[in-house]
Amino acid sequence: MVDATQRRSSGGRPRDPGADVAILEAARGLLGEFGYDRLTIEGVAERAGVAKTTIYRRFPSKVELVTAAIDELRPPGLFPDTGSLASDLDAFLAAAEQGLRDPLAMRIIAALFGSIGQDDGLFDTYWRGYVEPRRASFRELFTRAQARGELRDDLDLEQFIDLVGGVVMYQAVRPSDRPVASRVRDGLEFVWAGVTPDGRSPFADATSDRMTRT
Amino acid sequence: MVDATQRRSSGGRPRDPGADVAILEAARGLLGEFGYDRLTIEGVAERAGVAKTTIYRRFPSKVELVTAAIDELRPPGLFPDTGSLASDLDAFLAAAEQGLRDPLAMRIIAALFGSIGQDDGLFDTYWRGYVEPRRASFRELFTRAQARGELRDDLDLEQFIDLVGGVVMYQAVRPSDRPVASRVRDGLEFVWAGVTPDGRSPFADATSDRMTRT
Amino acid sequence: MVDATQRRSSGGRPRDPGADVAILEAARGLLGEFGYDRLTIEGVAERAGVAKTTIYRRFPSKVELVTAAIDELRPPGLFPDTGSLASDLDAFLAAAEQGLRDPLAMRIIAALFGSIGQDDGLFDTYWRGYVEPRRASFRELFTRAQARGELRDDLDLEQFIDLVGGVVMYQAVRPSDRPVASRVRDGLEFVWAGVTPDGRSPFADATSDRMTRT
Amino acid sequence: MVDATQRRSSGGRPRDPGADVAILEAARGLLGEFGYDRLTIEGVAERAGVAKTTIYRRFPSKVELVTAAIDELRPPGLFPDTGSLASDLDAFLAAAEQGLRDPLAMRIIAALFGSIGQDDGLFDTYWRGYVEPRRASFRELFTRAQARGELRDDLDLEQFIDLVGGVVMYQAVRPSDRPVASRVRDGLEFVWAGVTPDGRSPFADATSDRMTRT
DNA sequence: TGCTAATCGAGACGGTACGTCAAGTCTTAAG
DNA sequence: CTTAAGACTTGACGTACCGTCTCGATTAGCA
């Protein structure tokens, strides 16, 4: 999607593909370690074992560099069909729990939201490159569930994805001692009554006391 | 909560209280205009008509300065009782719609989330100083509703606040042409079935076709 | 003298002679416009319509390039015999006046002396390539004059050339409103008493008040 | 004359005078070692033990820095009266011989002439700050000689200074195995016939074979 | 005619230094 | 002891050229 590495077709020494890899890898590493603000181009150059100019030749700015670095993280196909909404969600939650332990993921979310309101297009790129693919995975997951009859037929999936996304994001971000996955599950319990045909939670072991937990 | 203005009691020239005001005002203005990254202490000093030293004596770092500047925005008492959950929420949504048009609000959210994973305590401060007061307002609002019988008695309010907060935040942040308030309302419609005693939306004019909108 | 254009004898595509010309011409042009310091190889390449490699293949460094560029300016045979020392000198002074108006000449002198004390051999090359040929012309001119009896027989021509060269150089370089030629002539007036057989100026129209001018 | 160290009168931390000294000293050292071209501001900063910005605060450009550095070399009072033109000149020649052994002197001359034709005012500054004071010393020396009757009364001193200056400069610059002082003396021998009342060299031990040396 | 070998253009590469900006600290005189 | 003013160190910025290097495409002369 973002391909800052593009260049004119003919003539000249070809770009070192190893440099591309090294740069983006270094950028991701430093982003995970220090966060967007304290990531420096010179630091990336040093870690990648590359001259600063080699970076600037590919990425005109820090924003574009980080964008491209993150862009590669886009997962190919999340959420394989496990047979039921409940198990699909369980799989997702386990993966999310795992993924959010990676400091890089938090940094990316930080960089993503830190760019709100900036005019540099970083936020849009992030949204398209990072959020949208994950929404697409949810879309697939929920479409399957709808086909199975686990979700109401008249459910507006986009709005529902917004809702689930909000729950996940908020729980990912909010300080808490409990694991994210568990909190997300608790949060979604409120919703099933409105979205499932029978108003029941799809989770077999759903805590019956879900309304009273703290 | 944050009171960087504290100082030793006696002797010498007293601090200029006007300086405090001017500094924080300038900081807020520049934060709204440029965002956290591009806000500079020197810029704040110039706009406040104050020497850099005067800022550093009060706030040891940029983080603390911005924290204090945002801290003053804490609203005294949001969400007055309008008599019903529906009208309380309508009032909130109208205010939110209004508030999110202010670029400063978006910058603050950006700064808030941009500090996730940083070790400088900025995020915690933000959460305590900015998010928690709003959660408290919701808590008050929903407690009233519960007392009125508009929400189920056994509802865990903290989890419910998480849910509502997630919806609001996600919609505030996601790119869309529709107004935030309307999207938040649509999002909450999914939830009422699970949280209200009769499973009905508290909104009188609730769109019956809420499940089919795009 | 300097022939950086030399190459191995056989095989392969022959060098483009047009490139040699274009490079040296561009170098001279840029030297005249910007001076040695601000002349860049990339600038020469661009103006010559030639790749940087093509320059480096011929001239291993900026010094050698500029040297070669200047080298071509060596005049074939200055100072034709006009019949007398006075008219020979008048012809020389007129030519010098003309030549020193060319900014390139001043840049070359600047580059020449700017390289004093450098260990890159630039100064020696300049001296041999630029100064020596001019000294040779003087030598010829003064030898003729000596033969004609216009200069003392026992005059050490090398020392005399040093003297005249010093006068010319100093006047060429020193800030003044009067034309160089006139100042050089005035300067040489002091000398005739010591070098001519009759102690008189060779110039017919020599100002008798030469000792009092300002 | 050049006083880049000037600043507004009141308020703020005063400039560190030690820094001024260290910077100019470092600049002179590096100028002597490497010459103008290869002198870098970063090198000066490092040797002076000072931050780059501290240099740029004082001197907006390399030219101004070097100018100021050289400016301090202006000698207070050259050429004390030794009683006669011959001994005055001997003293000068000895000093010149000494001075021109200092690589810094050659570098300065190189920088001086290297700046000819540049539009940065460097040359003018050099001329005023470096050449003019030395011309003034000559003026004084020759005025004394004229008063003593060692030079003709009607001699135009400015033109004579030009002449002597030219001889000195040319001999200082030209490649040769013989010492500068000796060559300058030989060169001036040509001149005495035209400028002394009796046409004789002021030097007691003047080589009678001065016209035949090589 | 096809092979060989150097040239050409284009431009990437690791570097060095540039001149600027801001951060956060320090120093002074004035209040 | 605070304040305004501003110098100071530090570190990164993004740019310009350096001189070297790798390409693919020419362009001879030799086989």
Side-chain angles (χ1 to χ4, degrees):
Chain A
M1 185 161 284
V2 168
D3 196 350
T5 324
Q6 215 98 51
R7 70 176 188 93
R8 243 181 345 300
S9 48
S10 73
R13 173 177 176 173
R15 292 230 174 124
D16 180 357
D20 295 77
V21 174
I23 289 167
L24 294 174
E25 217 148 68
R28 271 192 299 274
L30 292 171
L31 183 62
E33 283 174 42
F34 299 116
Y36 182 83
D37 283 31
R38 281 162 52 210
L39 175 147
T40 69
I41 302 268
E42 289 191 339
V44 174
E46 193 185 10
R47 177 169 299 197
V50 135
K52 224 181 357 164
T53 39
T54 300
I55 296 179
Y56 279 110
R57 193 169 299 113
R58 285 144 221 262
F59 311 101
S61 73
K62 187 168 150 181
V63 168
E64 315 243 8
L65 166 59
V66 173
T67 297
I70 290 175
D71 213 58
E72 292 198 331
L73 296 176
R74 211 171 21 212
L78 276 173
F79 307 168
D81 191 345
T82 60
S84 74
L85 177 56
S87 56
D88 277 4
L89 282 176
D90 276 330
F92 158 70
L93 287 173
E97 189 70 48
Q98 201 62 31
L100 293 172
R101 275 199 230 291
D102 178 3
L104 180 56
M106 291 309 270
R107 299 292 190 175
I108 289 174
I109 294 178
L112 166 58
F113 289 115
S115 69
I116 297 171
Q118 238 74 11
D119 52 358
D120 50 20
L122 179 55
F123 182 72
D124 279 2
T125 313
Y126 277 148
W127 190 269
R128 266 197 297 275
Y130 197 78
V131 178
E132 276 299 348
R134 282 157 180 81
R135 287 180 66 92
S137 292
F138 272 121
R139 194 171 297 116
E140 196 189 321
L141 192 159
F142 292 139
T143 305
R144 285 200 304 257
Q146 219 170 20
R148 286 190 207 106
E150 294 172 310
L151 288 177
R152 290 167 56 163
D153 285 338
D154 59 351
L155 186 68
D156 182 322
L157 285 188
E158 293 311 308
Q159 286 189 13
F160 186 59
I161 292 170
D162 281 4
L163 181 64
V164 175
V167 171
V168 172
M169 185 201 304
Y170 196 87
Q171 295 294 353
V173 147
R174 77 159 286 185
S176 168
D177 292 333
R178 297 176 54 210
V180 177
S182 147
R183 285 179 280 128
V184 169
R185 232 175 97 159
D186 284 357
L188 291 181
E189 292 286 343
F190 292 114
V191 178
W192 305 130
V195 299
T196 55
D198 55 2
R200 289 178 180 278
S201 165
F203 296 115
D205 60 341
T207 51
S208 63
D209 60 348
R210 74 179 192 273
M211 300 286 165
T212 53
R213 246 203 123 295
T214 309
Chain B
M1 185 159 283
V2 168
D3 196 352
T5 326
Q6 215 96 52
R7 71 175 188 97
R8 218 148 47 273
S9 48
S10 71
R13 173 174 174 175
R15 284 211 181 150
D16 179 358
D20 295 76
V21 175
I23 290 167
L24 293 174
E25 215 148 72
R28 271 192 298 274
L30 293 171
L31 183 63
E33 283 174 43
F34 300 118
Y36 181 83
D37 283 32
R38 282 160 53 209
L39 174 147
T40 70
I41 301 268
E42 287 184 342
V44 173
E46 193 186 9
R47 178 171 297 198
V50 135
K52 233 186 346 169
T53 336
T54 305
I55 296 179
Y56 276 108
R57 189 164 300 109
R58 285 147 222 258
F59 311 100
S61 74
K62 185 169 152 180
V63 167
E64 314 247 6
L65 166 59
V66 173
T67 298
I70 290 175
D71 214 57
E72 291 200 330
L73 295 177
R74 209 169 23 206
L78 274 173
F79 309 165
D81 190 347
T82 61
S84 76
L85 176 56
S87 56
D88 277 4
L89 281 176
D90 276 330
F92 158 70
L93 288 174
E97 188 71 49
Q98 200 62 31
L100 292 173
R101 276 199 229 291
D102 179 4
L104 180 55
M106 291 308 269
R107 300 289 193 178
I108 290 174
I109 294 177
L112 166 58
F113 289 115
S115 69
I116 297 170
Q118 237 73 11
D119 52 358
D120 50 19
L122 179 55
F123 182 73
D124 280 1
T125 313
Y126 277 148
W127 190 269
R128 266 198 297 277
Y130 195 78
V131 179
E132 277 299 351
R134 281 157 180 81
R135 286 181 67 92
S137 292
F138 271 121
R139 194 171 297 115
E140 196 189 321
L141 191 158
F142 291 137
T143 305
R144 285 200 304 257
Q146 220 168 19
R148 287 191 207 105
E150 293 171 310
L151 289 176
R152 290 166 57 161
D153 284 338
D154 58 351
L155 185 68
D156 182 323
L157 284 189
E158 293 311 308
Q159 285 189 14
F160 187 58
I161 291 170
D162 280 5
L163 181 64
V164 176
V167 171
V168 172
M169 186 203 304
Y170 195 86
Q171 295 295 355
V173 146
R174 77 159 288 185
S176 168
D177 291 332
R178 296 175 55 210
V180 177
S182 148
R183 284 178 282 128
V184 169
R185 234 176 94 162
D186 283 358
L188 292 181
E189 292 285 341
F190 293 114
V191 180
W192 304 129
V195 299
T196 54
D198 54 4
R200 291 180 180 280
S201 166
F203 296 115
D205 60 342
T207 51
S208 63
D209 57 348
R210 74 177 191 275
M211 299 287 164
T212 52
R213 246 204 124 295
T214 308
Chain C
M1 186 159 281
V2 169
D3 195 353
T5 326
Q6 214 96 52
R7 69 175 190 95
R8 221 153 36 279
S9 49
S10 71
R13 173 176 176 173
R15 289 215 179 140
D16 179 357
D20 294 76
V21 174
I23 290 168
L24 294 174
E25 216 148 69
R28 272 192 298 273
L30 292 172
L31 182 63
E33 283 175 43
F34 300 118
Y36 181 82
D37 283 32
R38 281 160 53 208
L39 175 147
T40 71
I41 300 268
E42 288 190 341
V44 174
E46 194 186 9
R47 178 171 297 197
V50 135
K52 230 184 350 167
T53 337
T54 303
I55 295 179
Y56 277 108
R57 192 169 297 112
R58 285 144 222 260
F59 311 101
S61 74
K62 186 169 151 181
V63 168
E64 315 247 5
L65 166 60
V66 173
T67 298
I70 291 175
D71 214 56
E72 292 200 330
L73 296 176
R74 207 171 24 210
L78 275 173
F79 308 166
D81 190 346
T82 60
S84 75
L85 176 56
S87 56
D88 276 4
L89 282 176
D90 277 330
F92 158 70
L93 288 173
E97 188 71 48
Q98 200 62 32
L100 293 172
R101 277 199 228 290
D102 179 4
L104 180 55
M106 291 309 269
R107 300 289 192 178
I108 289 174
I109 294 178
L112 165 59
F113 289 115
S115 69
I116 296 171
Q118 237 74 12
D119 52 358
D120 50 19
L122 179 54
F123 182 72
D124 280 2
T125 313
Y126 276 149
W127 189 269
R128 265 199 298 276
Y130 196 77
V131 178
E132 277 299 350
R134 282 156 179 82
R135 288 180 65 92
S137 292
F138 271 121
R139 194 171 297 115
E140 197 190 320
L141 192 159
F142 292 138
T143 304
R144 284 200 305 258
Q146 221 168 19
R148 285 191 207 106
E150 293 171 310
L151 289 176
R152 291 167 56 161
D153 284 338
D154 58 352
L155 187 67
D156 182 321
L157 283 188
E158 293 312 307
Q159 285 189 16
F160 187 58
I161 291 170
D162 281 4
L163 181 64
V164 175
V167 171
V168 172
M169 186 201 304
Y170 195 85
Q171 295 295 353
V173 147
R174 76 158 289 186
S176 168
D177 291 333
R178 297 174 55 210
V180 178
S182 147
R183 284 179 281 129
V184 170
R185 234 176 94 160
D186 284 356
L188 291 180
E189 292 286 341
F190 293 114
V191 179
W192 304 130
V195 299
T196 54
D198 54 2
R200 290 179 179 280
S201 166
F203 295 116
D205 60 341
T207 50
S208 62
D209 58 348
R210 73 178 193 276
M211 299 288 165
T212 52
R213 246 201 124 297
T214 309
Chain D
M1 185 159 282
V2 168
D3 196 351
T5 325
Q6 214 96 51
R7 69 175 191 94
R8 237 174 357 295
S9 48
S10 73
R13 173 178 178 174
R15 292 227 175 126
D16 180 356
D20 294 77
V21 174
I23 290 167
L24 294 174
E25 217 147 70
R28 271 192 298 274
L30 293 171
L31 183 62
E33 284 175 43
F34 300 117
Y36 181 83
D37 283 32
R38 281 161 52 207
L39 174 148
T40 70
I41 301 269
E42 289 191 337
V44 173
E46 193 186 9
R47 177 170 298 198
V50 135
K52 224 181 358 164
T53 38
T54 300
I55 297 179
Y56 278 110
R57 192 170 300 112
R58 284 144 221 260
F59 311 102
S61 73
K62 188 169 151 180
V63 167
E64 315 244 7
L65 166 60
V66 173
T67 297
I70 290 175
D71 213 57
E72 292 199 331
L73 295 177
R74 212 174 17 214
L78 276 173
F79 308 168
D81 191 345
T82 60
S84 74
L85 176 56
S87 55
D88 277 3
L89 282 176
D90 277 330
F92 158 71
L93 287 173
E97 189 71 49
Q98 200 63 31
L100 292 173
R101 275 201 231 290
D102 178 4
L104 180 55
M106 291 309 271
R107 299 292 191 178
I108 289 174
I109 294 178
L112 165 58
F113 289 113
S115 69
I116 297 170
Q118 238 72 11
D119 52 358
D120 49 20
L122 179 55
F123 181 73
D124 280 2
T125 313
Y126 276 148
W127 190 269
R128 266 198 296 276
Y130 197 77
V131 178
E132 277 299 350
R134 282 158 179 82
R135 286 180 67 90
S137 292
F138 272 120
R139 195 171 296 117
E140 197 189 320
L141 193 158
F142 292 137
T143 304
R144 285 200 304 257
Q146 218 169 20
R148 287 191 207 103
E150 293 172 310
L151 289 176
R152 291 167 56 161
D153 284 338
D154 59 350
L155 185 68
D156 182 321
L157 284 188
E158 292 312 307
Q159 285 188 15
F160 187 58
I161 291 170
D162 281 4
L163 181 64
V164 174
V167 171
V168 172
M169 187 204 303
Y170 195 87
Q171 294 295 354
V173 146
R174 76 158 288 185
S176 168
D177 291 332
R178 297 176 55 211
V180 178
S182 148
R183 284 179 281 129
V184 169
R185 234 177 94 159
D186 284 356
L188 291 181
E189 293 286 341
F190 293 114
V191 179
W192 304 129
V195 299
T196 53
D198 55 2
R200 291 180 178 280
S201 167
F203 296 115
D205 60 341
T207 51
S208 62
D209 59 348
R210 74 178 193 274
M211 299 287 166
T212 54
R213 247 205 124 295
T214 310

